[in-house]
Amino acid sequence: MAHDHSGHHHHDHDHAHDHDHEHDHGHAHGHHGHHGHSHAPKDFGRAFAVGVALNFGFVLVEAGAGIWTHSLALLADAGHNLSDVLSLLLAWGATVLARRAPSARRTYGLRKGTILASLANAVLLLVAVGVIVNESVRRLLEPAAVATLPVMITAGIGVVINTATALMFMRGHDDMNVRGAFLHMAADAGVSLAVVIGAGVMMLTGGLTWLDPVLSLGIALVIVLGTWSLLRESADLALDAAPKGIDVGKVRNWLASQPGVTDVHDLHIWAMSTTETALTVHLTRPDNADPDGFLHATCEGLAHKFNIGHCTLQVEVGDAAHCRLSPAETV
């Protein structure tokens, strides 16, 4: 089973450099395409810094107002906002990690940190939901009089701040951490809006003290639904599953259709970070004409068609049956 060692090829488009380059200058280099959708703006560093500063300031104001107005809803919202400040810090740290150069031992750098951060993010959000539900149930059991106008004003400021922060992260929805930050901020705006509406209705009716906790329970449900997909997706990526936008069967069929390829086995596709995808595969190619040209063309094709920028192909000129990793059940 003569192995053609020239075929053991590693192709990467110098991606680590590309990635930094993209962050520094905002180049949306479509021909490499880490991720097919609209590219994130040059760097979310400024958005994260502004988001963290604004939201942390607001948490302090809101907690103070909650104590002053006897509003559990405001205090719960402040707790929820605080969890989001932590999440923003996590996601920000992750985007910085993704751009750290590889070291001798960590040959991928700290890219996987982006996936771990988004996993932690989802868990944090669910904890925040637990806090909201707990507070709401207590409020249902013991309705309390609330100073409604100050609550409305404070929560109204929250709506503005959270909406503004969410809009800063709007364009990066293809990076899971940026999407997590966007979801958090949008959820926060929703929570604050519910507090405004609840306080308004309570002010008009004077008696509907149960409305506020019922609204916050509804919002908790919305947040859980949003977080669930983030949790599932980040857990999948942590387990080295193929990223959501990639159909492994299609990639396999495309590889099998390349000139001279008679068999495709040991195909693995996984996420190096929340924005970059890697692939390894063994290809049987008996005649192996123009080996270097074939490898280059195949890697270019994978980058173009599937946004897989980090490919390692092993070409075998012998029979696939001889390859130890040929059986489908072998990893």
Side-chain angles (χ1 to χ4, degrees):
M1 74 164 210
H3 268 258
D4 174 9
H5 291 292
S6 73
H8 203 78
H9 177 80
H10 189 83
H11 193 87
D12 188 20
H13 290 329
D14 192 8
H15 240 138
H17 166 73
D18 251 348
H19 200 60
D20 274 348
H21 191 65
E22 173 194 339
H23 276 284
D24 293 343
H25 306 293
H27 285 188
H29 44 254
H31 67 288
H32 285 315
H34 305 317
H35 240 51
H37 323 300
S38 67
H39 259 278
K42 57 180 189 273
D43 190 356
F44 280 99
R46 213 179 73 202
F48 279 121
V50 173
V52 167
L54 269 180
N55 284 278
F56 188 63
F58 179 62
V59 165
L60 298 177
V61 169
E62 193 174 33
I67 294 164
W68 176 52
T69 59
H70 304 294
S71 166
L72 266 179
L74 270 187
L75 276 173
D77 194 29
H80 181 227
N81 277 318
L82 182 62
S83 88
D84 282 350
V85 172
L86 297 175
S87 305
L88 276 179
L89 286 169
L90 260 180
W92 187 8
T95 57
V96 173
L97 288 185
R99 290 155 51 204
R100 283 278 295 274
S103 68
R105 232 164 61 80
R106 295 196 177 91
T107 57
Y108 278 119
L110 298 171
R111 283 175 158 67
K112 206 68 173 238
T114 57
I115 291 164
L116 296 179
S118 97
L119 195 56
N121 234 337
V123 172
L124 247 178
L125 243 192
L126 291 175
V127 170
V129 165
V131 172
I132 296 168
V133 170
N134 185 32
E135 289 297 333
S136 305
V137 171
R138 274 181 46 198
R139 274 292 294 278
L140 282 171
L141 298 175
E142 308 166 21
V146 174
T148 47
L149 188 64
V151 171
M152 280 182 81
I153 293 167
T154 310
I157 296 168
V159 174
V160 173
I161 288 179
N162 289 317
T163 305
T165 316
L167 290 175
M168 289 195 296
F169 293 109
M170 187 81 178
R171 280 186 52 204
H173 54 81
D174 54 330
D175 178 337
M176 202 188 306
N177 284 303
V178 177
R179 202 180 82 210
F182 171 74
L183 271 177
H184 281 141
M185 292 303 131
D188 272 4
V191 171
S192 298
L193 185 62
V195 175
V196 172
I197 294 167
V201 173
M202 277 157 59
M203 185 193 271
L204 292 172
T205 58
L208 290 183
T209 41
W210 53 265
L211 186 69
D212 183 50
V214 166
L215 267 171
S216 51
L217 279 174
I219 286 156
L221 182 65
V222 171
I223 299 168
V224 168
L225 295 176
T227 308
W228 199 248
S229 64
L230 193 72
L231 182 66
R232 232 183 34 211
E233 201 176 322
S234 44
D236 266 350
L237 294 189
L239 294 169
D240 280 340
K244 211 171 77 178
I246 290 177
D247 182 334
V248 179
K250 273 192 181 146
V251 176
R252 182 186 297 279
N253 293 340
W254 184 82
L255 287 167
S257 73
Q258 295 313 291
V261 174
T262 57
D263 185 72
V264 176
H265 55 280
D266 196 34
L267 170 63
H268 296 283
I269 303 173
W270 71 99
M272 282 160 54
S273 74
T274 46
T275 52
E276 296 168 289
T277 306
L279 169 151
T280 60
V281 68
H282 291 195
L283 302 171
T284 307
R285 198 167 180 254
D287 63 346
N288 206 21
D290 184 19
D292 285 352
F294 167 74
L295 291 171
H296 186 72
T298 307
C299 288
E300 277 292 326
L302 286 166
H304 268 305
K305 289 180 71 72
F306 302 102
N307 299 315
I308 301 171
H310 188 106
C311 309
T312 308
L313 311 178
Q314 178 170 314
V315 176
E316 298 161 354
V317 292
D319 180 10
H322 294 301
C323 179
R324 196 172 56 78
L325 293 168
S326 180
E329 65 277 6
T330 312
V331 171

